[in-house]
């Protein structure tokens, strides 16, 4: 009886040593101009004839309905844990390095330790056309709070260019300005380029397929002293000997860099010649003046500093401390 078992085992491996059914539900779709996604499921279980260890994707370029050039092969070996015991697993593979606007035919085979099985029916797919490469981009800052942006067409345009898209803005602000230009235009002057800020410029070129990869340039504009004063200086609360002050940063366009500190200048309005100057470090936008005289009006103004020095003082604002009997 033992011999019979060996004989049957030998015959089954010899007559049908490899999968007799092809992988099922083979689908191919273009991902972009140089890549295609191939997906499939295993052959039906009764045609696997052994443990499927992996798959091979065969593909070849087609011209006028005929194969052209060398057939190519990509192998996907299953890890032990992936060996298939059911037929529901979906497999997929991205085939890259293809040519744009080109037709290929794909087939998939399963293999066991004995070799390759039956091939799936060929599936045709065409890669999309290619988008242009990166344009060449030069950005130069001018003294007048502007930036001159100049560009040249990409080396690879893959057909006639149909225009450009420019996006730019401060790195520390989420909103970007987006502009489109015709293929004949090659420069633009951006205004409101603030001092002491870094800017990002992104330019892409377009052909009939779409916009290509962006060329990215950054510029950093040197800091200056602030050209504007802190905004909305006002009093939050007061006692007979103190006043709590609050203000807002200068306008973004007038900061001209990172605000490193503020200076408060205050005086009793009845004492003209003795203003007190107080630094606010770090650059908080609130400060409590203490040690003041009760029932007295004070004149207060504030200015901002960058690493380059102080900007202008804000207009004066007047505050009055409470009388002694109310300030306790």
């Amino acid at each position: 009886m033992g011999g019979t078992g060996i004989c049957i085992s030998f015959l089954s491996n010899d007559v049908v040593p490899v999968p007799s059914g092809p992988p099922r539900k083979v689908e191919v779709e273009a991902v972009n101009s140089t890549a295609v996604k191939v997906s499939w499921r295993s052959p039906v279980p009764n045609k696997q004839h052994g443990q499927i260890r992996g798959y091979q994707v065969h593909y070849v370029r087609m011209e006028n309905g005929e194969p052209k050039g060398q057939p190519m092969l990509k192998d996907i070996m299953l890890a032990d844990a992936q060996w298939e015991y059911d037929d529901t697993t979906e497999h997929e593979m991205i085939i890259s390095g293809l040519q744009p606007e080109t037709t290929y035919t794909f087939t998939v085979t399963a293999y066991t330790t004995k070799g390759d099985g039956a091939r799936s029916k060929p599936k045709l797919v065409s890669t999309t056309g290619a988008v242009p490469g990166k344009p060449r981009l030069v950005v130069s800052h001018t003294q007048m709070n502007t930036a001159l942006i100049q560009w040249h067409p990409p080396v690879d345009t893959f057909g006639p260019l149909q225009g450009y898209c420019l996006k730019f803005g401060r790195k520390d602000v989420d909103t970007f300005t987006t502009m489109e230009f015709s293929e004949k235009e090659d420069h633009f002057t951006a205004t409101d380029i603030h001092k002491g800020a870094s800017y990002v410029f992104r330019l892409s070129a377009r052909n009939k397929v779409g916009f290509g990869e962006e060329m990215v340039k950054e510029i950093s504009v040197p800091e200056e002293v602030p050209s504007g004063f802190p905004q909305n200086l006002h009093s939050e609360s007061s006692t007979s000997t103190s006043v709590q002050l609050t203000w807002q940063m200068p306008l973004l366009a007038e900061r001209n860099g990172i605000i490193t500190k503020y200076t408060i200048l205050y005086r009793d309005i009845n004492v003209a010649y003795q203003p007190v100057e107080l630094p606010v470090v770090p650059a908080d936008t609130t400060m409590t003046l203490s040690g003041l005289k009760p029932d007295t009006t004070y004149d207060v103004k504030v200015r901002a500093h960058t690493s380059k020095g102080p900007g202008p003082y804000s207009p004066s604002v007047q505050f009055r401390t409470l009388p002694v009997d109310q300030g306790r």
Side-chain angles (χ1 to χ4, degrees):
M1 288 296 288
T4 313
I6 292 168
C7 182
I8 291 168
S9 163
F10 174 75
L11 272 175
S12 64
N13 272 342
D14 193 42
V15 176
V16 192
V18 296
S20 61
R24 292 167 304 148
K25 298 194 175 175
V26 175
E27 302 288 345
V28 289
E29 62 175 305
V31 176
N32 56 36
S33 60
T34 59
V36 163
K37 182 170 89 170
V38 186
S39 59
W40 65 91
R41 289 192 176 175
S42 60
V44 291
N46 62 3
K47 294 189 175 178
Q48 291 184 12
H49 308 300
Q51 193 67 63
I52 289 179
R53 299 297 176 91
Y55 294 91
Q56 288 182 338
V57 177
H58 306 255
Y59 58 105
V60 66
R61 185 161 60 89
M62 302 290 283
E63 262 183 37
N64 302 319
E66 295 292 324
K68 193 84 175 174
Q70 286 295 314
M72 287 160 283
L73 177 70
K74 281 281 170 74
D75 192 287
I76 179 168
M77 183 182 275
L78 301 179
D80 291 6
Q82 292 177 301
W83 288 356
E84 295 187 329
Y85 297 97
D86 62 46
D87 58 348
T88 59
T89 311
E90 284 206 17
H91 300 277
E92 66 176 45
M93 175 185 273
I94 300 288
I95 307 288
S96 55
L98 306 177
Q99 295 173 18
E101 290 188 285
T102 304
T103 300
Y104 292 84
T105 182
F106 287 83
T107 59
V108 185
T109 60
Y111 61 85
T112 63
T113 52
K114 301 295 182 186
D116 291 358
R119 287 194 179 199
S120 65
K121 286 180 181 160
K123 287 268 185 170
L124 282 175
V125 66
S126 296
T127 52
T128 60
V131 293
K134 293 181 182 180
R136 289 161 289 167
L137 179 63
V138 179
V139 180
S140 45
H141 172 247
T142 70
Q143 287 306 306
M144 303 303 295
N145 282 16
T146 62
L148 176 62
I149 303 142
Q150 298 169 289
W151 59 84
H152 300 281
V155 175
D156 298 315
T157 60
F158 301 106
L161 289 185
Q162 295 182 352
Y164 297 91
C165 178
L166 174 69
K167 299 175 186 171
F168 66 95
R170 280 181 68 129
K171 275 186 80 173
D172 57 350
V173 177
D174 285 340
T175 53
F176 270 59
T177 300
T178 301
M179 308 191 70
E180 294 207 10
F181 299 93
S182 77
E183 71 281 3
K184 295 184 175 64
E185 293 176 277
D186 62 5
H187 70 279
F188 172 71
T189 300
T191 55
D192 295 329
I193 301 296
H194 307 150
K195 295 182 174 73
S198 293
Y199 283 82
V200 181
F201 297 84
R202 300 173 174 274
L203 184 75
S204 57
R206 180 165 63 98
N207 64 12
K208 69 177 171 74
V209 179
F211 281 105
E213 197 177 350
E214 293 178 326
M215 175 60 97
V216 181
K217 291 277 181 176
E218 288 187 19
I219 62 166
S220 291
V221 186
E223 286 199 329
E224 298 279 352
V225 300
S227 50
F229 49 80
Q231 302 285 301
N232 193 23
L233 173 62
H234 64 284
S235 166
E236 289 284 318
S237 62
S238 59
T239 69
S240 60
T241 58
S242 69
V243 172
Q244 186 186 2
L245 302 172
T246 299
W247 59 91
Q248 289 159 353
M249 299 174 80
L251 299 173
L252 184 64
E254 298 176 345
R255 288 176 206 164
N256 298 342
I258 295 168
I259 303 300
T260 55
K261 70 173 182 176
Y262 293 95
T263 307
I264 289 177
L265 196 69
Y266 72 98
R267 66 180 179 86
D268 176 344
I269 60 165
N270 300 308
V271 185
Y273 52 85
Q274 278 189 323
V276 179
E277 189 171 88
L278 282 179
V280 182
V281 185
D284 291 332
T285 54
T286 183
M287 170 81 171
T288 299
L289 299 183
S290 51
L292 305 179
K293 292 186 283 190
D295 202 18
T296 303
T297 300
Y298 285 86
D299 187 271
V300 185
K301 51 190 176 182
V302 61
R303 66 181 174 179
H305 298 243
T306 65
S307 64
K308 295 294 186 183
Y313 272 110
S314 67
S316 295
V317 179
Q318 295 190 342
F319 307 107
R320 191 170 183 86
T321 52
L322 298 175
V324 172
D325 57 353
Q326 293 180 3
R328 291 198 175 123

